[in-house]
Amino acid sequence: MARLVRSQVEMEGRYEERWTLVEDDSTPEYADGEPLAVVGHPHPRVSAAARLSGAARFISDIGLQGMTHAAVLRSPHANARVSALDLAAAAALPGVRSVIGPGDLPDRDGRPVLTDAPQYAGAAVAAVAADTPEAAERALAALAPVWEPLAFVVDLDEGLARQEFTEDPSETSRGDVDAALTGAAAIVDAEYRTPAQVQNPLETHCAVAVWEAGALTVWSSTQGIFAARDELARAYDLEPDDVRVVCEYMGGGFGGKQGAGPEGFVAAELARRSGRPVRLVYSRAEETIASGHRAPTVQTYRIGAAADGKLLGIEASAVVGVGLHGWVFPVLNPAETLYACENVHSMVLPVKLNLGFSNAFRAPGVMEGTFGFEQAIDELANLLGIDPLEIRLRNGADHEQSSGNPYTSKHLETCQRRAAELAGWAQRDGLRSQGRVRRGLGMASQIWWGGGGPPAHATVRLGKSARPTLVCGFQDIGTGTMTASAVIVAESLGVPVDTVRVQAGDTARSGYGPTSGGSMTLASVAPAVRSAAHDVRTQLLELASDLYEIAASDLVLADGAVSSRDGTLRHELTEITSKLGNSSLVGHGSRGPNPDGMRIHTFGCQVAQIAVDTLTGSVTVERVWAVHDVGRIINPMGAISQVTGGVLQAIGFALTEERVVDPTTGTVVNAGLEDYKVPTMADTPDIVCEFVDSPDPHLGLGIKGLGEPPIIPTAAAIAIAFAHATGVRIREAPLTPRRVLEALA
Ligand code: MOS
């Protein structure tokens, strides 16, 4: 029965109460001890063949009849005023179909997309669409803007000194830190720095837009097709169903592709004016300077503990180089919630700079906060002479520390003990030597959200071929949600995974699915998929029961057949479904609400082994042991792939990735993959990955998310391993050869 319930919904630590339509009172759960034929077994991606053969159409592959190509005029100055923009001259050039400038676009998030007062190098000023990319470039040149450069601030310390913030500094407090620290046996007081990091998905931000009969269709490389649809519908005052957003395949996003994006707005408006389809694909340089960043931070921690290692008080502050605007990431969440501590004071200062904007990036805030906080805990353990594993175990939290609410489930201690066991933690000092190459181990833990929530809807159809079709409103950002969903359908209907067709990534085809963000996609979608598939299963068993005159409860579905439990009867599913003719069995499912008064979190622990070449200053990550608690694992192959990607991306953060800005011009000098070093296959260590794989009793199918957890502890573990290997602490990421040699000198 359908009903509307108030439910708490969370996205990357931001909580919201909202009404949600709930059609199912509960997800049909897997019975305790029920052997599962498909779920929990490894499966390659359902899209593997399409991806490997090149048949998969990514957004940048979309080509339409009469399509034109867009280009954007961007400010070369960190702060400027633009005058004398010659839109008419650009429009008069051959092949140019539309030209727009400041004021020609609806605002996005209350900000102009095109501006004549650009406040960072890369800010969009005007845009053109032409028959060829070359004609578009000529049109940009014809705009002949006159720039009046203005003073700017790009240095974080200078920005802080000026006390100019993107929003008011915020503070949280519990207990009395100063009083608590008077009794401390040891206090760590240290500062840690993290760099600006760029998401760099392989497919840059891109969109193709076309208007037909007053309705807009946008193919968008987006993490949220429904968010993009709603943004564009609002901007153009259209009914949501008059906007269709499609994202069948996308080349990653890592948090930086929320909603329609400026690229969607620019493409839509250029297309509206010319009546022709418009394709806008950012260059790699635009990806770096105009798509947002993980904001740089300066974190300070003053942490005191008793002689037995029990935390007494934590004083934490984070200066965040937000840029011109953007979300202020929860950098101090690890300090506030990872361990039990009654006295915590934290302060976040979001500094305004003439440098792009902050944009979500896989575990935004929390991975950089973990880099600082977990190192501080390691330093505290060293001061007290306590094993770093032991200090973590002694400070385990049995409830969520900032709300006081119970966790739905928590197996962090299992992760910590298992990671230590796998890594040979107890023998770690045996790795150390005095030669040119020094080895060490470092450990760090992880807390993140990732419970997902409503709404999410799914439909499963089964027709005469007995090959089910799942229609769902999510988009697969690359995490394997389509495959995990197919696994769930296959389990319910007893058919092979590769017979399940998954239709996703199109707002016109189905009901709502969530944004691929906050590690919440599968945890939101899977219960809906399971319900829809179970609905079809029930109908199928009813038909079989009727045809074969046997109680439905005596039947099982497996291997594409229906059989009696006693084994006397067996019929291929097609024997039943072939009688359906042009009818099909249709099942619907939706995600139920989250439990009241509880907090849903994911946990994990990683140990990194590194080798430091003391002559060259290079750091090699040799092995990472990763153990995570994310509830039930649906597809271990996909889950391991998530961990591999997260660890590798964190290695970039720890060792090589850093957006570099020229202080004299305020421009980014490494806006490309030649100079901004993301890790490659060659940098991939041996990654040993395990999951607790214990279903959360309070969540549908017991599933939590896994997109972000694996990136969170790795960089901290690497920096801690550096200190173990060398006896020298580097409190700033990335640990480049220069920083290593300076620290060792
Ligand atoms: Mo968020 S970084 O989009 O998962």
Side-chain angles (χ1 to χ4, degrees):
M1 199 186 77
R3 60 200 173 103
L4 285 163
V5 297
R6 294 287 288 173
S7 179
Q8 193 175 65
V9 180
E10 171 274 322
M11 162 73 165
E12 302 190 327
R14 290 165 289 186
Y15 289 88
E16 187 190 314
E17 280 266 327
R18 59 164 99 114
W19 284 105
T20 355
L21 171 66
V22 173
E23 295 158 306
D24 303 316
D25 277 275
S26 62
T27 309
E29 296 292 333
Y30 303 123
D32 259 353
E34 174 184 349
L36 299 174
V38 192
V39 164
H41 300 273
H43 301 281
R45 282 174 195 268
V46 290
S47 56
R51 288 173 187 272
L52 290 172
S53 65
R57 261 204 324 178
F58 290 80
I59 305 306
S60 44
D61 293 329
I62 301 288
L64 302 176
Q65 183 90 43
M67 189 173 76
T68 60
H69 301 266
V72 179
L73 177 72
R74 299 187 180 278
S75 171
H77 301 288
N79 194 9
R81 222 159 271 293
V82 182
S83 57
L85 204 56
D86 199 345
L87 302 182
L93 287 177
V96 176
R97 301 295 177 178
S98 47
V99 178
I100 53 176
D104 286 344
L105 272 181
D107 280 2
R108 183 171 179 266
D109 286 343
R111 307 186 154 270
V113 178
L114 303 176
T115 176
D116 55 10
Q119 292 181 73
Y120 62 91
V125 174
V128 301
D131 292 343
T132 63
E134 294 75 15
E137 287 304 321
R138 284 195 294 274
L140 285 192
L143 290 168
V146 175
W147 308 98
E148 181 199 339
L150 304 169
F152 60 85
V153 179
V154 292
D155 180 75
L156 185 50
D157 296 313
E158 188 188 340
L160 178 64
R162 288 199 327 163
Q163 297 278 298
E164 221 184 284
F165 301 110
T166 55
E167 56 192 80
D168 287 340
S170 63
E171 226 175 332
T172 71
S173 192
R174 62 177 186 257
D176 183 340
V177 177
D178 286 331
L181 291 190
T182 56
I187 294 178
V188 163
D189 200 336
E191 179 185 290
Y192 305 85
R193 287 179 175 249
T194 63
Q197 195 192 13
V198 184
Q199 288 84 346
N200 269 315
L202 280 187
E203 182 181 51
T204 59
H205 283 64
C206 55
V208 176
V210 61
W211 291 81
E212 277 161 328
L216 170 64
T217 301
V218 179
W219 285 262
S220 170
S221 183
T222 179
Q223 296 175 226
I225 51 174
F226 282 93
R229 179 191 73 162
D230 292 350
E231 253 191 285
L232 290 164
R234 262 198 314 275
Y236 286 104
D237 200 17
L238 294 170
E239 274 295 300
D241 273 345
D242 285 332
V243 180
R244 177 183 175 201
V245 177
V246 185
C247 179
E248 216 185 344
Y249 288 96
M250 70 185 290
F254 307 119
K257 289 181 179 169
Q258 311 276 346
E263 70 281 9
F265 274 59
V266 168
E269 181 61 19
L270 287 169
R272 193 182 69 80
R273 291 185 178 224
S274 67
R276 290 164 191 261
V278 171
R279 173 184 192 265
L280 174 56
V281 179
Y282 280 12
S283 67
R284 187 54 62 180
E286 287 178 298
E287 192 64 25
T288 304
I289 61 176
S291 306
H293 51 254
R294 186 194 294 279
T297 69
V298 180
Q299 306 165 33
T300 60
Y301 297 96
R302 193 160 61 96
I303 307 177
D308 65 357
K310 278 282 203 189
L311 294 177
L312 298 174
I314 300 172
E315 173 80 44
S317 79
V319 179
V320 181
V322 175
L324 194 59
H325 62 90
W327 176 35
V328 183
F329 305 156
V331 176
L332 297 179
N333 189 268
E336 292 158 4
T337 68
L338 182 52
Y339 299 118
C341 186
E342 284 172 15
N343 306 290
V344 179
H345 179 249
S346 66
M347 184 157 201
V348 176
L349 301 114
V351 173
K352 188 170 179 174
L353 298 170
N354 294 100
L355 263 177
F357 53 95
S358 83
N359 202 357
F361 187 166
R362 204 169 189 173
V366 172
M367 78 93 71
E368 48 273 42
T370 299
F371 177 83
F373 179 64
E374 277 287 75
Q375 278 199 83
I377 292 294
D378 187 72
E379 298 197 44
L380 188 62
N382 290 353
L383 278 181
L384 290 163
I386 298 177
D387 181 336
L389 166 63
E390 192 55 37
I391 200 169
R392 289 177 167 86
L393 295 173
R394 285 183 196 170
N395 288 290
D398 64 0
H399 63 275
E400 204 282 324
Q401 294 290 292
S402 58
S403 63
N405 287 337
Y407 297 116
T408 53
S409 65
K410 179 185 181 188
H411 301 286
L412 177 57
E413 189 177 324
T414 308
C415 297
Q416 290 163 330
R417 290 188 189 279
R418 182 62 181 153
E421 184 186 343
L422 288 168
W425 180 256
Q427 291 82 43
R428 68 190 180 286
D429 285 346
L431 279 174
R432 302 171 78 184
S433 71
Q434 289 308 308
R436 168 175 159 183
V437 175
R438 313 275 175 88
R439 286 193 165 74
L441 287 193
M443 163 186 289
S445 302
Q446 163 259 312
I447 185 169
W448 178 255
W449 301 272
H457 303 278
T459 303
V460 172
R461 284 196 312 265
L462 190 73
K464 55 189 165 195
S465 68
R467 299 168 75 95
T469 296
L470 166 67
V471 191
C472 215
F474 64 83
Q475 56 293 302
D476 195 329
I477 183 180
T479 48
T481 312
M482 288 171 83
T483 306
S485 300
V487 163
I488 290 166
V489 173
E491 181 72 48
S492 290
L493 297 178
V495 297
V497 175
D498 62 7
T499 65
V500 181
R501 176 192 300 264
V502 183
Q503 297 185 335
D506 185 344
T507 59
R509 203 147 52 185
S510 62
Y512 181 86
T515 289
S516 297
S519 306
M520 66 176 187
T521 322
L522 191 63
S524 302
V525 167
V529 173
R530 164 75 169 159
S531 288
H534 198 79
D535 187 349
V536 170
R537 173 195 171 86
T538 304
Q539 297 175 48
L540 191 57
L541 289 176
E542 281 166 4
L543 297 185
S545 163
D546 199 34
L547 280 173
Y548 306 122
E549 298 182 330
I550 175 171
S553 56
D554 287 334
L555 292 171
V556 289
L557 295 174
D559 300 324
V562 58
S563 315
S564 61
R565 288 187 193 278
D566 65 9
T568 56
L569 171 147
R570 186 179 193 280
H571 297 278
E572 293 299 314
L573 285 184
T574 46
E575 259 186 51
I576 305 166
T577 56
S578 61
K579 298 180 173 60
L580 286 169
N582 285 325
S583 302
S584 23
L585 307 178
V586 181
H588 295 288
S590 70
R591 171 62 151 83
N594 284 331
D596 278 334
M598 304 187 93
R599 286 290 168 105
I600 310 166
H601 286 272
T602 53
F603 303 93
C605 180
Q606 294 181 9
V607 176
Q609 176 181 318
I610 69 162
V612 183
D613 185 326
T614 55
L615 191 69
T616 64
S618 84
V619 175
T620 306
V621 180
E622 295 183 317
R623 193 163 296 165
V624 172
W625 295 268
V627 183
H628 290 272
D629 162 27
V630 294
R632 182 194 297 280
I633 301 297
I634 295 295
N635 177 16
M637 189 183 286
I640 289 169
S641 155
Q642 280 300 292
V643 174
T644 305
V647 166
L648 194 56
Q649 215 161 19
I651 288 174
F653 178 92
L655 300 181
T656 57
E657 290 186 45
E658 178 168 26
R659 185 191 61 187
V660 179
V661 176
D662 177 354
T664 62
T665 61
T667 57
V668 176
V669 296
N670 60 345
L673 293 178
E674 296 90 352
D675 301 314
Y676 182 102
K677 302 283 187 195
V678 297
T680 65
M681 289 295 210
D683 305 299
T684 310
D686 187 8
I687 299 170
V688 179
C689 172
E690 282 192 11
F691 300 102
V692 176
D693 199 8
S694 171
D696 187 305
H698 298 281
L699 294 172
L701 301 186
I703 296 173
K704 303 183 201 179
L706 178 57
E708 282 148 315
I711 200 177
I712 293 171
T714 322
I718 290 169
I720 291 167
F722 182 87
H724 180 239
T726 64
V728 176
R729 190 71 63 173
I730 297 184
R731 298 189 180 87
E732 180 166 13
L735 279 69
T736 56
R738 179 178 66 81
R739 284 199 183 113
V740 167
L741 292 176
E742 281 172 2
L744 295 178

